[in-house]
Amino acid sequence: MKNLKHILGTLFVTAILFTSCDEKNDDVDIIVRATADEYNNLQDEALEGLTQNFLFNAEDGWITLTSENGVSISLNGDCLTLNGNAITGQVDLEFVELFDKGNMLVTNKPTMGFTPDGDKALLLTGGEFFINATQNGINLELGCNMQLGIPTNLTGGADNDMTLWEGTIDENGDLAWEEDDKDNPAQRGVFAEGNEYYAFLGDFGWSNVDRFYNDPREKTTILVGVPEGYDKTNCSVFLSYDGEDSGLANLDTYNVDSGLFSEHYGQIPIGLECHVIFVTEEAGDWKYAVQAATIVENGIITITDNETSIVTQAQLTSIINALP
C-alpha cells in the first residue's frame, strides 16, 4: 500500500510539473516576422493593382491612349520592333502612373535621385511612369520617341525646373533615378506648356518628371531603429517631408551590426519637420508605424512594436497621403 501511495504521489507531482510547463510555454510570446518573399509579394501585388493595360494594333501607326488620371500616351506602332524587325498585329501595353506618396510607398517607388557626385537626394515629381509593350508576352523595342502629356494639376501645377529622369532597379529591387543627360530636350526631355508637361521618351521602362528638393539649411545623416527581427530584406523605412506631397525619401542602407537603417548621404536638412514611416507585411496585410520628427544633427529615431498597426493597402495609402 505504501508503494502504491508513493507511485500515485509521484504521478500527481509529475502531472503538476508538466501542467506548469505547458502554462509557462503558453505565456511565451513567439515573434513571427515577415519573410523577404512575403514582403516583396505585397509590394508586387500593389504594383500589379496599379498597372493599366491597353491593346492596339501596330499597323494603326500613330495612336494616343489616355490613362485613368488623364495622361496621354502617344506612340507610333510602326516604330515597334522585335529583334530589329518591324511587327504587325496586336500589341499589349502596360502603364503605371504614380503621383502621390501613398502609392509610391506601397509599390516601393520613392523619388530618390542620384546627384552629380553619386549620392542620392529627394526629388519632387510631376509623375513617375512605367511603360512597356509586348507581343505574345515578348518585350518589344521602341525605334522612335513616344510622348507623354501629363496634367500639371496632378502635382500642384507647372514647374519649369522639372527635367526628365530614367529609373533603374538594382539587385535588391530598389528603384533610383538618374537624370537624362541628352543634349537636345526637344528630342528627349520635358517641358511645361499651359497645364501640361510634355515628356519625350526614347525607351520603355521607368521614367520620371522631377527636380531636386531644394533647402538651404545645413544637412545631416540620420539613423532609424526598427523592431527586432526586421532588416533591409523584410521592411522599409521612408521619410515624408512635411509640406511636400509629391516626393518620398527612403533610407536604403541597413547596418547588420547596429541594427539601424541609415541615410548615409548627409542630404537631410537639419530642422526639417518630417514623418518617419516603417512598413512591412503581416498576415497578408500591411504593418506600419508613423512617427513625427524634427531632424537634428546625426539623430537617432527609434520605432517600437507598440507603435505599429495592421491595415489594408487602401487604408495605408490614405494614411500616408494625409500626412502634412
Side-chain angles (χ1 to χ4, degrees):
M1 180 64 69
K2 286 184 179 179
N3 289 338
L4 178 60
K5 287 181 179 179
H6 177 72
I7 293 170
L8 291 175
T10 301
L11 291 173
F12 178 72
V13 172
T14 303
I16 292 176
L17 288 174
F18 274 117
T19 301
S20 299
C21 288
D22 289 342
E23 290 175 352
K24 184 176 181 181
N25 287 339
D26 288 342
D27 292 337
V28 174
D29 290 330
I30 299 175
I31 298 176
V32 178
R33 300 306 195 193
T35 65
D37 285 343
E38 288 169 338
Y39 181 49
N40 291 334
N41 288 341
L42 198 63
Q43 295 171 324
D44 291 343
E45 290 171 8
L47 185 62
E48 183 178 351
L50 291 168
T51 300
Q52 302 170 49
N53 294 280
F54 300 90
L55 295 175
F56 63 91
N57 290 314
E59 55 266 33
D60 290 342
W62 274 101
I63 62 162
T64 297
L65 309 168
T66 303
S67 77
E68 294 173 359
N69 284 294
V71 174
S72 62
I73 311 151
S74 299
L75 72 161
N76 188 348
D78 294 334
C79 293
L80 295 173
T81 61
L82 177 61
N83 297 323
N85 300 313
I87 65 162
T88 59
Q90 186 170 275
V91 174
D92 300 295
L93 187 134
E94 291 181 311
F95 182 72
V96 179
E97 53 185 355
L98 304 175
F99 297 99
D100 61 71
K101 52 193 174 185
N103 281 331
M104 295 173 194
L105 182 144
V106 297
T107 58
N108 191 32
K109 300 297 181 284
T111 54
M112 297 293 289
F114 285 107
T115 64
D117 57 4
D119 290 343
K120 291 181 187 175
L122 177 68
L123 298 167
L124 302 181
T125 186
E128 297 181 311
F129 307 98
F130 175 79
I131 308 173
N132 192 45
T134 62
Q135 189 171 66
N136 300 320
I138 302 173
N139 290 331
L140 302 177
E141 296 89 33
L142 183 64
C144 58
N145 286 345
M146 59 184 166
Q147 177 183 301
L148 298 183
I150 309 158
T152 59
N153 61 8
L154 295 172
T155 50
D159 185 336
N160 290 319
D161 290 331
M162 293 290 188
T163 59
L164 187 64
W165 297 67
E166 297 176 353
T168 57
I169 296 179
D170 65 19
E171 64 276 7
N172 298 317
D174 293 328
L175 176 68
W177 300 96
E178 187 168 357
E179 190 170 12
D180 190 322
D181 60 359
K182 299 297 182 183
D183 295 329
N184 189 348
Q187 295 299 317
R188 186 178 168 88
V190 63
F191 65 89
E193 183 175 280
N195 60 355
E196 286 195 311
Y197 294 115
Y198 292 95
F200 300 88
L201 314 177
D203 299 298
F204 292 124
W206 282 98
S207 59
N208 199 343
V209 175
D210 268 313
R211 68 167 175 84
F212 278 117
Y213 173 77
N214 185 24
D215 192 308
R217 289 175 289 189
E218 293 292 323
K219 308 298 192 294
T220 187
T221 63
I222 65 168
L223 299 173
V224 174
V226 298
E228 182 183 357
Y230 293 108
D231 56 28
K232 186 70 169 62
T233 66
N234 63 353
C235 78
S236 299
V237 176
F238 297 95
L239 291 182
S240 173
Y241 288 21
D242 290 7
E244 301 295 348
D245 294 330
S246 61
L248 183 71
N250 75 320
L251 276 64
D252 62 352
T253 298
Y254 177 79
N255 187 301
V256 176
D257 294 328
S258 67
L260 298 173
F261 282 81
S262 173
E263 193 290 323
H264 62 288
Y265 303 108
Q267 295 289 338
I268 302 181
I270 297 173
L272 174 76
E273 294 182 349
C274 64
H275 284 74
V276 181
I277 308 163
F278 162 80
V279 288
T280 184
E281 184 272 354
E282 186 160 311
D285 278 320
W286 290 87
K287 181 176 182 178
Y288 86 101
V290 175
Q291 187 179 127
T294 300
I295 299 300
V296 298
E297 188 172 5
N298 299 320
I300 300 177
I301 298 166
T302 302
I303 294 174
T304 66
D305 255 322
N306 293 334
E307 298 175 80
T308 63
S309 301
I310 308 297
V311 292
T312 65
Q313 178 184 319
Q315 289 171 327
L316 180 59
T317 301
S318 296
I319 290 166
I320 300 306
N321 287 339
L323 294 175

